[in-house]
Amino acid sequence: MTTAGNLCRLRMGVPVATPIGLREWKVAAAACRTAKEARSAFEREMRDFLGVRWVRSTVSGRAALYLALVAMRRSIHRNEVVIPAFVCPSVGRAVLKAGLSPVLCDVGPTGSGLDPDDLRRKLSDRTLAVVTAHLFGFPVEVENISSLAHSAGAFVIEDAAQAFGAKIHGRRAGTSADVGIFSFGLSKVLWSFAGGALCSNNTALSAGLDDVLGEVQTPGWLREWQGTAKGALLSLLIRSHHLGPVAAIWNGALRGKHDCDDFPCELCASSTAALGRHMIQRFYEITSVRRGNAERYAAALAGLEGITIPKPDANCEPVYLRFPVIVRDIAIKRRILSQLGRAGINASEMYTRDSYQALNTFTAGAARCPSAEYLVDRMLNLPTHCYLTDAEMRSAIQIFRGILPTRAPDHVAGMVGNPAAVCATSME
Ligand SMILES: Cc1ncc(COP(=O)(O)O)c(C=O)c1O
């Protein structure tokens, strides 16, 4: 196994839990043999939901990214792809799999998006594409990134793997750039046992993508049934909140593939497509629970010293996949995480020094990205999912209050703004 593979193995935890019950499992199992129809129905549903011209479904988000890059490479002969330095190593792995070289770019202060000044330094006549990511369900502006990238002759890919359904300026995340990619993996907004998707409004590029997709297989029936059985098992395990064993299974024995490892590139399985279509219909119900939990955290933690709560951009409707908190003192962050862990609350670090180093091993030279380095050391994410109980939320809040002092009241507004405004998002 590679060094990067070893590093990625250290990541633990699945702090997001999409509710999947017997009804959902039946939808997936019934579709196991319907192949193409299930996939086209899922793609139609997504097209309507996203308000975009062209959508195709794949086996994972990383496969979607890989396919987008292959299609782009066929139209422009360049070999570098600028990717965020604060993202999962699977993004870098997809770039390598496409035979291209990842170049790390620093990120914005919340971790989402790219730092435009660093992007200017990283763009060159070798840049094929720029990937910008919307993390923890917080969409960010892509216009400025697109105009920089386009003026250098590069494509833009919006990685909306963690922000399916979020909106910015009334448009769904993933639909403003040349290509958007999505994931329906376990730790995503909508889990459908597996799956990913690509969308585009660019006619020439989507035609090229259809050519590339025409060369890709669908998973065989054995893999499809195995995936459905594995999903059913995990959907039971995640209900317990005590995700240690689940994480171990997911990261090791059952998942068998890691963020740094090579991955299969296939079209979406029909069971996954049928389940994905069903889950899109539950999007508002699932998201409103996450939003309510995030509002509660924002109000309860706003008056505490020593933390920054990333504020979503104005005019955006986040989907609060997780609730990010930046703890300015690294030792205090560790204390909070350890107490949350002991209380059975599966907070995550999202990305760590190890995952950052793993991304760096994919690049030609070691990049210095100060914002990403600050965040890998200091950010933690609280779970917002529907299996979180009232007692668990109270206990999470109590842990923060027990460790961090309270700010003077006039300081609070200046530091984090009005907590109600932070979370005030209109959902349809
Ligand atoms: C930001 C981001 N991009 C891409 C991916 C890859 O998605 P998948 O796991 O479906 O391959 C992930 C998943 O972890 C992600 O969080």
Side-chain angles (χ1 to χ4, degrees), residues 60-62 87-88 90-91 133 135 159 161-162 183 185 188 195 255 351:
S60 65
R62 63 200 77 184
V87 80
C88 52
S90 60
V91 171
L135 300 182
D159 180 341
Q162 296 187 15
S183 166
K188 300 304 185 306
R255 190 180 186 196
Y351 306 123

Side-chain angles (χ1 to χ4, degrees), residues 130-149:
V130 171
V131 179
T132 179
H134 305 289
L135 300 182
F136 24 79
F138 283 28
V140 285
E141 296 280 357
V142 289
E143 276 66 26
N144 54 346
I145 301 301
S146 288
S147 61
L148 286 173

Side-chain angles (χ1 to χ4, degrees), residues 38-347:
R39 222 171 26 247
S40 20
F42 179 39
E43 289 164 0
R44 255 195 324 273
E45 187 82 31
M46 256 191 290
R47 225 167 38 221
D48 293 346
F49 179 86
L50 295 170
V52 74
R53 203 187 56 78
W54 179 95
V55 173
R56 294 290 180 269
S57 51
T58 58
V59 75
S60 65
R62 63 200 77 184
L65 177 58
Y66 160 78
L67 291 164
L69 292 171
V70 170
M72 289 171 178
R73 178 77 173 87
R74 286 186 187 175
S75 72
I76 306 182
H77 292 285
R78 294 181 173 194
N79 67 341
E80 286 185 358
V81 181
V82 177
I83 61 169
F86 189 68
V87 80
C88 52
S90 60
V91 171
R93 168 52 73 192
V95 176
L96 286 187
K97 188 177 171 75
L100 301 164
S101 308
V103 174
L104 297 193
C105 179
D106 211 355
V107 291
T110 64
S112 279
L114 298 173
D115 170 17
D117 293 330
D118 200 32
L119 179 59
R120 270 187 208 97
R121 287 190 284 274
K122 302 294 164 61
L123 285 169
S124 73
D125 58 7
R126 296 182 300 280
T127 314
L128 173 68
V130 171
V131 179
T132 179
H134 305 289
L135 300 182
F136 24 79
F138 283 28
V140 285
E141 296 280 357
V142 289
E143 276 66 26
N144 54 346
I145 301 301
S146 288
S147 61
L148 286 173
H150 288 158
S151 58
F155 289 109
V156 179
I157 300 176
E158 249 183 294
D159 180 341
Q162 296 187 15
F164 183 82
K167 279 187 176 175
I168 181 142
H169 294 301
R171 293 186 70 161
R172 300 277 184 205
T175 63
S176 300
D178 298 302
V179 168
I181 64 145
F182 305 93
S183 166
F184 300 96
L186 179 66
S187 60
K188 300 304 185 306
V189 179
L190 298 180
W191 177 39
S192 64
F193 293 169
L198 294 142
C199 76
S200 182
N201 280 314
N202 179 326
T203 317
L205 197 54
S206 48
L209 269 159
D210 270 330
D211 289 342
V212 174
L213 284 154
E215 297 159 24
V216 176
Q217 312 270 313
T218 32
W221 67 269
L222 183 61
R223 282 260 315 285
E224 173 137 23
W225 275 106
Q226 275 172 345
T228 310
K230 181 178 96 178
L233 176 63
L234 284 172
S235 65
L236 291 177
L237 290 172
I238 57 175
R239 285 156 192 260
S240 79
H241 315 260
H242 299 289
L243 290 173
V246 181
I249 292 168
W250 184 250
N251 270 1
L254 273 182
R255 190 180 186 196
K257 291 283 173 210
H258 302 279
D259 281 355
C260 300
D261 296 347
D262 193 16
F263 53 85
C265 178
E266 291 165 329
L267 300 182
C268 186
S270 37
S271 51
T272 296
L275 183 54
R277 182 171 176 229
H278 174 84
M279 296 312 282
I280 290 176
Q281 288 155 5
R282 295 187 61 195
F283 169 82
Y284 294 108
E285 165 208 337
I286 291 170
T287 306
S288 74
V289 174
R290 291 210 181 101
R291 183 165 143 248
N293 288 339
E295 282 173 354
R296 187 164 164 198
Y297 285 134
L301 304 183
L304 297 179
E305 196 72 75
I307 54 173
T308 305
I309 299 172
K311 192 174 165 184
D313 273 7
N315 302 316
C316 93
E317 296 175 17
V319 286
Y320 288 110
L321 179 66
R322 302 167 192 192
F323 186 83
V325 179
I326 299 166
V327 185
R328 293 198 281 278
D329 183 316
I330 300 173
I332 292 182
K333 177 188 119 173
R334 290 204 192 103
R335 241 175 93 200
I336 293 173
L337 274 175
S338 122
Q339 290 198 20
L340 288 169
R342 277 204 296 279
I345 295 154
N346 194 275

